[in-house]
Amino acid sequence: SQYLRRLFLNDDLSEGRYPVGGKPVSLGDISVPVFGVGTVTDHVAPWRSVHKLHFETAAEITFVLTSGGHNAGIVSEPGHPHRSYQILTRPAGGPYLGPEEWVGAAPRRQGSWWTEWLAWLQARSGDPGALPRMGAPAKGYKVLTDAPGSYVLQKA
């Protein structure tokens, strides 16, 4: 209910009224690169309302508009047939493009947007680190069995 009331109905995040740690968040304070996603027929977060982040911050924004709606457009896995997306990156401090101007400038690509997100993450990530030890012996619990555990074999 908080999501719907504060973020959707009242638009508290973009209006600078959404508190985190007791202080309101200002989207204008974002300075790290942002990867944003909107879907063409989203009924919960219409893509133009997500796109308005472009005038809320001067940060670098890679914005993707994907085919589908709120669920199908986001969950559209790589290799899913009949999916497409548009993508465009505005550099930090770059000029604002309104939603319709953005759609006209962003190239359309076939496939899932997830491969673009993976490439975006990899370009901004360091080398993989060592995996942590599995189990919880540090908390005083002994490991009972390897993952995924024996419960997955139980029948209802």
Side-chain angles (χ1 to χ4, degrees):
S1 68
Q2 180 190 40
Y3 167 78
L4 289 175
R5 186 176 56 258
R6 306 282 316 263
L7 298 177
F8 182 64
L9 294 175
N10 298 338
D11 203 18
D12 285 352
L13 181 60
S14 69
E15 295 292 329
R17 296 186 302 258
Y18 191 80
V20 174
K23 296 180 180 179
V25 174
S26 170
L27 296 176
D29 290 338
I30 295 174
S31 59
V32 297
V34 174
F35 189 98
V37 181
T39 64
V40 173
T41 59
D42 196 329
H43 62 286
V44 178
W47 79 266
R48 287 169 182 82
S49 71
V50 177
H51 177 274
K52 75 179 178 181
L53 180 61
H54 284 81
F55 67 80
E56 299 285 349
T57 181
E60 173 190 303
I61 298 176
T62 299
F63 186 74
V64 173
L65 178 60
T66 183
S67 60
H70 186 72
N71 292 324
I74 298 300
V75 181
S76 175
E77 74 281 356
H80 191 290
H82 314 297
R83 292 288 184 219
S84 64
Y85 63 93
Q86 291 177 264
I87 185 169
L88 195 61
T89 298
R90 181 198 70 189
Y96 172 74
L97 290 178
E100 303 314 317
E101 192 178 8
W102 183 93
V103 164
R108 181 173 305 278
R109 299 180 182 169
Q110 294 301 311
S112 171
W113 65 273
W114 283 69
T115 54
E116 296 284 352
W117 188 36
L118 176 61
W120 188 90
L121 289 170
Q122 288 173 331
R124 290 159 178 80
S125 300
D127 293 331
L131 294 175
R133 180 176 156 84
M134 298 304 293
K139 295 181 182 175
Y141 299 102
K142 123 181 166 178
V143 176
L144 299 176
T145 185
D146 289 336
S150 59
Y151 73 93
V152 299
L153 302 173
Q154 295 176 359
K155 297 185 183 207

